[in-house]
Amino acid sequence: MPLPVPDVPASRRLTLDCRFLLDHRVGRGVCGCCGALRPRYKRLVDNIFPEDPEDGLVKANMEKLTFYALSAPEKLDRIGAYLSERLSRDVARHRYGYVCIAMEALDQLLMACHCQSINLFVESFLKMVRKLLEADKPNLQILGTNSFVKFANIEEDTASYHRSYDFFVSRFSEMCHSSYEDPDIRTKIRMAGINGLQGVVRKTVNDDLQSNIWDPQHMDKIVPSLLFNLQSGEGTESRSPSPLQASEKEKESPAELTERCFRELLGRAAYGNIKNAVTPVLMHLDNHSLWEGKTFAVRCFKIIMYSIQSQHSHLVIQQLLGHLDANSKNSATVRAGIVEVLLEAAAIASSGSVGPTVLEVFNTLLRQLRLSVDYELTGSYDASGNIGIKIIKTHEERQLQEAVIRTIGSFANTLPTYQRSEVMLFIMGKIPVPGVHPALTNAGSGGCEGTRMIQIMLLKSLVQVTTGFQTTNMLTALPNSFLEPLLSFSLMEDPEVRLLVLTILLSVIDRHDNTPKFSSISIISDISVLKLKVDKCSRQDNLFMKKHAQQLYRHIYLACKEQSSGPQHFETLYTLLALISMELANEEVVVDLIRLALALQELAQTNEESLSVYNRCAVHALSAAYLNLICQLTTVPTFCQHIHEVIEMRQKEVPFLLPEDVFIENPKLPASLEKLEGDVLFQQSKITEVLGGSGYNTDRLATPYIPQFTGNTHLSTCSRILTVQQYRSVCVSSVDSVGMEEQERERRRQVVEKFQKAPFEEIAAHCGARNTFPMFSLSALPRPPPSPSGTISSGYGQTQSRSVPVYEMKFPDLCVY
């Protein structure tokens, strides 16, 4: 039922009709007599517009309007609506001077008014900004953007849940991709778009009532727009960690502005938003083939790693690892680009920021290494072995493999010592052993060659992980679970594998950076010039050598018997011997090392292994160089004198037995090497005599070193198949036999020394204590059974008991089991 119309007097009704008409008239051409009928807020708004728009905003009247808005905040929404109406009319009529005045007035009202009613006013403001952004005039778009940026910098007292910034995200992103013909105007539009996106982020990122700016629907527009402009300034190198100062010219560059905006966006990202911010970066690099160049991709992720909070670094690394897995069948250049980015990211990440899944990081990298070897050998990305569409380029796969190995080392450098030890064990467990591990991934993986390549790649990775490794306890750094398989690879026929194993041992054992001082073998007359750092052997080091010394000596000895060993092998072996002497040596170890050096001389002298002339001379030179070093470390004058006399004699008669004449580019060697005698050899008897006079164990030194081993002395990658269990049994049995022999000899020496030097009372007490133990008591031994006939007399007048049946005999408890 319709409501009745109230009875209004005719005069009053005429006034209302006139007022309604004037409220909706356009233009300022209204008669002055009717102006007083307009609402006050409209009159105040009209008064800020001059007759000539070039005169600009009427400031005095603007102050009146501002005062009125502050006094009557409930009128703000009406003021905004009226200003919006005027602006729309002026835009349609191309009266751009009045448009600028309207926007300036809106900006001033926004800056001045902070009250609960501002939300409704903002709606009108955003409507006007949207009107300007939709215009096809660049100046209007820039004007609207500038107003929006000012509004974005205002901290409102109350949040608003009914606003939507979706249009502004889309429009500003579109402006970032402007292709306007005039390059100057195009640059201004793009910069306006970048500023607008920055304003949207500032306005929404901390407003819980707003739609989440980190949602993929927004990030998929914002991030690619920023990267598009960042790429346009790729020639300028990114400054790290943040560009704090920039010249005026740089501030006007879209690339510089983009970088600041991108940094701010990432800096505001919380833990749960990192993925949504990084995913569009990965997709942009994929879609535009930007991994191959590497430069731009590295620059992007440098910005990301320096901008996000440090505790979130591992999230970025995990996303890169996942992206690397997703591109496993892409070209080597793409995978290499991702790996290079990982390398840079790991270098920037703070220590330990790889996250809780440390081993998963290395597992992914090792898996990529194995896949790369597969692709190189099969020539296809197809696991079935069929020829793939993409052509595999061997040199690109090799570059990828080297990049992965460098990245593994970079990750390892961010880890603490205990985690690095875990990574070493993890990688060691991945190295295939012939006869134990199956073929790499399929039957077409190259078989033996594939296994060899994987071994080399993983050992190179171990070299990277152990580089710079510092530990105070060698037992934890080289546990048996790591040392035993590592030494097993030192017996491989492949010389590259053996060299990598020796390099790994050097990295772990060297705790004072002495390795560079032994980079080449030479006879050093005074080792003080090397400025070696030598510490006293700790208790843990003594325990390590008691447990593993014989293993190390044996593998060094066997390495010298390898026909394929070259100068690098002998130089590395010399460095290893030197480091053991300085890092892990006590008196017993020194004696064993001297015995080992003399055994090497005997090996080259007898030539039971039919070594080449070069290898025999190299072993002689290695033995001479090491004895020259160890004699100066022991500081026994007579020992040094003997070593120097032999060296001088060799320099005169057989210089090809010294390192200076062997380890050169073109060594002058004899056609054959006859059995040597006399003063050109180091004499074990002489060394035993001079060291015995200085308190060394002459019994131990007088015993020649003979490594005891059984079975094959090599682990061939193909022809000789040996399981891990078999190899371990061989190693353990040989080491145990050597160790038991040494222990028995040492026990005997101690017993003899004790009975020679100990007081009689102590010896008597010791023997008495032993005799009281039932096992050594004569009364506990079973007596001869008695004679069955009772007691009989022997020929010497003694009685003898009669024998009894065995089942009637009573045996002591110790003899019954």
Side-chain angles (χ1 to χ4, degrees), residues 592-700:
D592 282 338
L593 289 171
I594 295 173
R595 292 170 62 213
L596 176 60
L598 293 172
L600 293 178
Q601 176 181 260
E602 186 65 19
L603 169 66
Q605 179 78 342
T606 57
N607 195 24
E608 294 178 356
E609 299 293 324
S610 301
L611 296 174
S612 65
V613 173
Y614 174 82
N615 285 66
R616 293 177 64 189
C617 292
V619 173
H620 273 296
L622 169 64
S623 177
Y626 177 68
L627 287 173
N628 174 69
L629 173 68
I630 195 68
C631 75
Q632 297 183 61
L633 289 174
T634 56
T635 63
V636 178
T638 51
F639 182 28
C640 294
Q641 181 180 357
H642 171 67
I643 300 300
H644 292 159
E645 288 175 353
V646 174
I647 291 174
E648 290 176 2
M649 187 61 64
R650 287 190 178 187
Q651 289 172 343
K652 295 178 181 178
E653 298 184 5
V654 283
F656 48 83
L657 299 185
L658 294 176
E660 286 79 4
D661 280 35
V662 177
F663 302 111
I664 56 177
E665 186 174 355
N666 295 310
K668 297 180 180 180
L669 304 177
S672 62
L673 190 62
E674 302 297 333
K675 189 171 182 179
L676 303 171
E677 295 179 355
D679 296 337
V680 297
L681 294 177
F682 302 101
Q683 302 297 326
Q684 183 168 359
S685 58
K686 180 67 174 179
I687 295 175
T688 302
E689 178 184 350
V690 296
L691 289 181
S694 300
Y696 284 85
N697 183 1
T698 55
D699 293 338
R700 189 177 184 84

Side-chain angles (χ1 to χ4, degrees), residues 82-234:
Y82 185 58
L83 276 170
S84 176
E85 179 186 344
R86 286 194 58 119
L87 183 136
S88 299
R89 183 179 67 234
D90 292 334
V91 169
R93 295 182 176 183
H94 306 290
R95 299 170 63 179
Y96 300 126
Y98 287 124
V99 172
C100 295
I101 293 174
M103 291 307 300
E104 185 179 355
L106 280 170
D107 292 343
Q108 291 192 22
L109 287 174
L110 276 174
M111 299 299 294
C113 302
H114 292 277
C115 59
Q116 295 181 354
S117 302
I118 198 175
N119 278 331
L120 298 177
F121 175 70
V122 168
E123 292 302 318
S124 298
F125 168 78
L126 293 178
K127 182 179 179 182
M128 297 166 65
V129 172
R130 180 168 182 167
K131 188 73 175 179
L132 294 179
L133 294 176
E134 288 175 341
D136 57 354
K137 298 292 184 182
N139 290 338
L140 294 183
Q141 297 173 9
I142 295 171
L143 177 64
T145 303
N146 293 338
S147 293
F148 183 85
V149 171
K150 293 177 183 178
F151 159 70
N153 292 327
I154 297 175
E155 295 184 4
E156 299 183 51
D157 297 333
T158 57
S160 176
Y161 59 87
H162 59 276
R163 293 185 203 156
S164 175
Y165 294 97
D166 293 359
F167 165 79
F168 296 99
V169 171
S170 300
R171 183 58 183 149
F172 289 139
S173 298
E174 185 180 348
M175 292 170 64
C176 289
H177 292 84
S178 174
S179 57
Y180 201 85
E181 294 180 358
D182 189 330
D184 293 334
I185 297 178
R186 180 171 64 243
T187 298
K188 291 180 180 179
I189 295 175
R190 289 185 179 182
M191 293 182 68
I194 297 167
N195 281 319
L197 290 177
Q198 188 177 29
V200 172
V201 172
R202 289 178 179 176
K203 200 63 180 175
T204 59
V205 72
N206 294 323
D207 193 345
D208 296 334
L209 298 179
Q210 287 297 327
S211 61
N212 193 355
I213 196 66
W214 301 105
D215 286 344
Q217 59 179 348
H218 299 309
M219 286 291 105
D220 290 347
K221 297 175 182 177
I222 294 174
V223 174
S225 301
L226 297 177
L227 295 180
F228 173 77
N229 286 276
L230 187 65
Q231 188 179 357
S232 65
E234 190 176 350

